[in-house]
Amino acid sequence: MSGFAHRTVLRDEVVRALSPRDGATYADVTLGGGGHAEAILSAANCRLIGLDRDDAAIAASTERLEKFGDRVRITRGPFGDAANLLPSGLDGLVADLGVSSPQLDDASRGMSFRRDASDAPLDMRMDRSTGQTARELIASFGEEQLADVIFELGEERASRRIARSIKRAEEAGQLATTGDLRHAIYQAVGGDKRSGIDPATRTFQALRIAVNDELGELDRLLSALPELLSPNGVAAIISFHSLEDRRVKRAFADGATWAPLAKKPIEASPEEIVENPRARSAKLRAARRKSATEAEVDPRAAKYAARRARKHGSGPDRGQGGPS
Ligand SMILES: C[S@@+](CC[C@H](N)C(=O)[O-])C[C@H]1O[C@@H](n2cnc3c(N)ncnc32)[C@H](O)[C@@H]1O
């Protein structure tokens, strides 16, 4: 395999949630290195449609999944556009949110605040063919708006001081690289590690989430899910940020559409966390799309189905066909 070194998080737990069946069709909308996709395709004689918006991930997963031949179809694109990129009638779907280790580790992507990545341009886009870079985004924000983003998406309490320092560096023409950004953050809050994490961590995370519109993408995926899955199809979503997990939890709480497989999110075992510290903050939530029969007996579901039928001109169980 190519040098795409990403450790798959909660792999067995995702497979258990989806329970792949022969002849069924699944989607992995965050292919990355293809770890979850490979596990699903190995568990049954099923088909899988893969999606990612990152060229390097598409290349790595294409290589890794080649052995499954025409059981796999890979498409490049954002999962926020899943309603257009995927067929309906899926038996299951997995989304493993956030970034892959190679995206963080490849200094040229501009997502890393590590000292050896100091000369990387301030980019941070997962899809480098579209959208604003982190540098352009910062330029488009006023100081207050930048502080709000750093506070909300990074949960950074020193957001105002940091935003002021970043804007000052920008005005002085000293904000071109990840090293410049890190320097501006250290100027505001010092360079000492607070509670074991680098002081630049939260600001880098906030900007990455904003650059890639990660929460907007998730919202669009969550609202498309009921149309994409067939009745009894399962959605399994791994999040790494409380703002993501809250959205998934809220979506699956719609009892007219979803039957969550468990009340609490599934977390990584201590053994997995030792092997892969990134798994520490992972939360997997899985839910089954309720069937039409359940919808009939559940008055809330009937109301929801009627609302959807009015909106889309069809019932909730349209389009059972898998991929061609
Ligand atoms: C955590 S990695 C997935 C790793 C994969 N599950 C594995 O086991 O190798 C997340 C992947 O999702 C992709 N991604 C993140 N947001 C996306 C979006 N909105 N649309 C499509 N792909 C996205 C990233 O490019 C990255 O490759």
Side-chain angles (χ1 to χ4, degrees), residues 8 30-36 52-54 77-79 96 98 103 126 217:
T8 298
T30 51
L31 270 176
H36 285 115
D52 204 293
R53 61 175 167 182
D54 181 305
F79 60 62
D96 175 15
Q103 285 169 328
M126 292 187 203
E217 280 288 303

Side-chain angles (χ1 to χ4, degrees), residues 10-20 26 40 91-94 232-238 261-262 266 284-288:
L10 295 169
R11 190 191 51 209
D12 296 346
E13 290 80 356
V14 164
V15 171
R16 220 170 292 137
L18 297 184
S19 310
Y26 301 92
I40 293 165
D91 297 291
L93 178 148
V94 59
N232 292 317
V234 170
I237 303 187
I238 302 174
L261 301 197
I266 296 168
L284 166 65
R285 291 190 189 268
R288 178 178 60 80

Side-chain angles (χ1 to χ4, degrees), residues 24-26 87-92 227-231 318-323:
T25 301
Y26 301 92
S88 54
L90 295 169
D91 297 291
E227 293 285 334
L228 290 170
L229 288 170
S230 56
R318 71 166 181 86
Q320 297 296 301

Side-chain angles (χ1 to χ4, degrees), residues 138-297:
I138 290 169
S140 75
F141 286 154
E143 187 180 310
E144 201 169 318
Q145 201 181 357
L146 180 61
D148 289 347
V149 165
I150 296 171
F151 180 73
E152 279 161 29
L153 303 182
E155 291 163 337
E156 169 61 74
R157 272 176 293 158
S159 57
R160 306 240 159 262
R161 256 183 297 151
I162 292 174
R164 197 172 314 127
S165 181
I166 293 175
K167 287 306 274 187
R168 214 177 284 147
E170 189 206 358
E171 279 153 24
Q174 287 165 355
L175 195 71
T177 67
T178 48
D180 293 338
L181 177 60
R182 200 186 57 226
H183 182 68
I185 298 166
Y186 285 2
Q187 283 214 311
V189 292
D192 290 341
K193 289 193 174 184
R194 291 172 291 171
S195 59
I197 72 158
D198 190 298
T201 310
R202 297 178 199 279
T203 302
F204 269 73
Q205 173 191 281
L207 289 170
R208 192 208 77 217
I209 293 175
V211 163
N212 294 291
D213 186 22
E214 293 179 35
L215 298 179
E217 280 288 303
L218 177 58
D219 286 341
R220 289 187 283 280
L221 174 67
L222 289 170
S223 60
L225 275 181
E227 293 285 334
L228 290 170
L229 288 170
S230 56
N232 292 317
V234 170
I237 303 187
I238 302 174
S239 54
F240 293 84
H241 193 297
S242 57
L243 291 175
E244 292 169 344
D245 183 55
R246 212 174 299 157
R247 283 169 154 77
V248 179
K249 184 179 172 187
R250 203 189 309 134
F252 288 170
D254 170 7
T257 309
W258 297 107
L261 301 197
K263 234 180 184 163
K264 293 222 154 118
I266 296 168
E267 297 182 9
S269 65
E271 294 77 23
E272 180 171 357
I273 294 171
V274 168
E275 264 184 40
N276 180 12
R278 189 176 173 268
R280 200 179 34 228
S281 46
K283 285 191 164 56
L284 166 65
R285 291 190 189 268
R288 178 178 60 80
R289 209 205 106 181
K290 285 187 172 174
S291 68
T293 336
E294 284 169 285
E296 272 165 27
V297 295

Side-chain angles (χ1 to χ4, degrees), residues 43-95:
N45 188 12
C46 56
R47 290 196 284 181
L48 180 132
I49 305 165
L51 207 66
D52 204 293
R53 61 175 167 182
D54 181 305
D55 281 334
I58 293 286
S61 54
T62 300
E63 193 182 327
R64 183 168 183 176
L65 303 176
E66 206 177 10
K67 61 187 173 200
F68 296 105
D70 61 9
R71 288 170 54 200
V72 188
R73 200 177 83 198
I74 292 179
T75 305
R76 184 177 178 284
F79 60 62
D81 199 18
N84 296 315
L85 296 172
L86 298 177
S88 54
L90 295 169
D91 297 291
L93 178 148
V94 59

